Amino acid sequence: MAATRAYLDYNASAPLIAEARSAMVAALDAANPSSVHSEGRAARRLIEDARRDVARLVNAKPEHVVFTSGATEAASTLLTPDWQMGRGDVRMSHLYVCEADHPCVLGGGRFAAAQVTRIGVDRNGIADLDALTKALAAHDRADGLPLVAIHAANNETGVIQPIGRIAEIVKAARGVLVVDAVQAAGRIPIDMSAGYADYLILSSHKIGGPKGVGAIIAHADLMMPKPLINGGGQEKGHRAGTENLPGIAGFGAAARAALAGLDAMEAVAQCRDEIEAIVRELAPDAEIFGAAAPRLANTTFFAIPGLKAETAQIAFDLAGVALSAGSACSSGKVGPSHVLKAMGYGDSLGALRVSIGHTTGAGEIEAFRPALAAIAARRAGKEQAA
Ligand code: PLP
């Protein structure tokens, strides 16, 4: 990315960190990690080192990490009625997701639409825990177990779900909990050893690693979903196909840096607060979504009355500032945010998302201010003309 531009779209994809790039380049010449010769064993070591580093990021055991092609594949694998424990089959008869989940969870994976219940969120974006409790109480275990999937932190608003409480509710209902920690990992501490979730979903490119690699992380050696991809038995049979070695090596390096960076989130929060102060100063009528709830330190999602988000995004881009109108994960899709809709905001003109990271600093903030000032001035001009 050009140094002269201000990149404020980390939740879409965080810039590749130098350590990840070096690890990837070093892995490009690696042999097949399933080969038994020395070259193969060296390649295997790269994968197992990365597995250890990814596990450490969330305090899990390396043997419980399964590498995938990203979080979307991890979700599609986990969200299935068909599971196995040893040689026995286990059935999940219903899936409970959250209205504000990422589409890869909201879509219900391999469940039929009739087997999926969506739990709403309040005005702050927090899941309705009473509704979840009631839905699980009504679950008929005769057909199978309840599977609950929810994001730890929202990709648009940054709002953090009370996963501790949710885990208690799911445990009391003897259900299984999948947590999409794609935006939370590396931004808040996650401790799988303390029973944070039964299964976790991670994505490398949100923490400074390469795109196209992610992971499923299990809490224990219990059951696993029937694989989505069958073949040569890689990843202990949970995800076949010769491993994406450069991707996995880059993911490992990014996970190592993300763990170290957890101690420096205060500086990221300060930067985000400065950006919000500029928004409030230049557009006092702006609404910052989820501001009353616990939020990730790196995210702000706001709407300015009378300002169409897509138009403002283009104006920011022309001014050298890359940010998002809603979520950018669904590549160029223009439409109202389903997250804001779930929070009760209806079809508004849309919102702008600024998401930052450890490398964001004064330069980016200096670029953001005049860009927003110009947009706000144009809005004021239009209001006067009207
Ligand atoms: N879950 C959340 C919360 C996300 O923000 C994203 C991507 O934006 C995904 C899942 C999908 O991740 P991936 O791009 O690795 O498939």
Side-chain angles (χ1 to χ4, degrees):
M1 278 149 211
T4 50
R5 287 184 55 87
Y7 183 77
L8 305 177
D9 204 11
Y10 278 57
N11 289 10
S13 210
L16 189 74
I17 63 165
E19 297 92 320
R21 181 189 299 273
S22 310
M24 290 175 77
V25 170
L28 280 173
D29 289 322
N32 188 326
S34 296
S35 300
V36 293
H37 44 60
S38 304
E39 289 84 350
R41 293 202 306 278
R44 168 64 43 203
R45 271 196 298 282
L46 290 180
I47 292 187
E48 298 315 319
D49 286 352
R51 201 185 301 284
R52 183 202 57 213
D53 289 331
V54 169
R56 265 187 199 151
L57 175 60
V58 293
N59 204 15
K61 291 196 172 148
E63 61 268 32
H64 295 153
V65 175
V66 175
F67 287 116
T68 63
S69 71
T72 299
E73 185 194 314
S76 303
T77 305
L78 285 164
L79 305 188
T80 177
D82 301 315
W83 288 60
Q84 55 199 17
M85 184 150 58
R87 284 167 188 247
D89 286 347
V90 180
R91 189 170 159 73
M92 309 280 165
S93 54
H94 205 87
L95 174 68
Y96 303 84
V97 296
C98 171
E99 289 277 9
D101 276 328
H102 186 272
C104 72
V105 171
L106 198 59
R110 292 183 271 170
F111 281 89
Q115 293 175 292
V116 182
T117 296
R118 292 182 174 185
I119 305 295
V121 296
D122 66 14
R123 191 84 172 162
N124 288 314
I126 300 286
D128 182 343
L129 302 192
D130 287 340
L132 176 63
T133 308
K134 281 194 191 119
L136 291 178
H139 178 89
D140 181 1
R141 295 180 66 87
D143 290 339
L145 303 178
L147 181 63
V148 177
I150 186 163
H151 57 286
N154 191 269
N155 50 310
E156 296 188 10
T157 59
V159 166
I160 299 169
Q161 297 295 340
I163 297 297
R165 280 284 300 121
I166 291 170
E168 280 169 16
I169 292 167
V170 176
K171 199 171 172 189
R174 288 175 295 142
V176 174
L177 176 62
V178 169
V179 173
D180 168 1
V182 164
Q183 298 290 351
R187 295 181 182 144
I188 55 171
I190 293 175
D191 187 353
M192 282 295 275
S193 76
Y196 182 81
D198 295 308
Y199 301 87
L200 208 65
I201 295 172
L202 296 185
S203 177
S204 153
H205 72 112
K206 310 293 182 175
I207 61 165
K211 292 153 198 68
V213 58
I216 291 170
I217 304 190
H219 170 234
D221 273 325
L222 286 169
M223 52 196 167
M224 284 297 280
K226 292 229 170 120
L228 183 65
I229 299 175
N230 291 289
Q234 289 89 348
E235 295 296 282
K236 294 189 195 151
H238 299 306
R239 201 282 184 184
T242 302
E243 296 87 340
N244 168 10
L245 224 131
I248 290 171
F251 187 11
R256 214 164 41 240
L259 182 61
L262 271 176
D263 288 339
M265 287 311 288
E266 195 50 43
V268 176
Q270 257 177 30
C271 214
R272 192 270 314 269
D273 291 350
E274 277 182 53
I275 288 169
E276 287 191 345
I278 293 171
V279 171
R280 289 196 167 107
E281 179 197 323
L282 297 176
D285 53 347
E287 174 142 29
I288 298 179
F289 301 107
R295 278 185 304 157
L296 294 177
N298 81 317
T299 307
T300 182
F301 193 45
F302 59 91
I304 299 175
L307 195 72
K308 202 161 176 257
E310 271 92 35
T311 314
Q313 182 194 20
I314 294 165
F316 269 110
D317 191 34
L318 292 173
V321 178
L323 46 66
S324 233
S327 82
C329 322
S330 36
S331 53
K333 205 172 78 184
V334 178
S337 152
H338 76 280
V339 176
L340 287 185
K341 239 180 169 173
M343 289 163 72
Y345 286 97
D347 292 340
S348 64
L349 286 173
L352 292 168
R353 179 184 68 185
V354 170
S355 54
I356 60 175
H358 293 293
T359 54
T360 312
E364 281 78 11
I365 294 174
E366 272 164 30
F368 178 79
R369 174 185 276 283
L372 181 60
I375 289 166
R378 268 203 299 279
R379 177 181 69 134
K382 266 194 201 145
E383 274 166 9
Q384 262 183 359

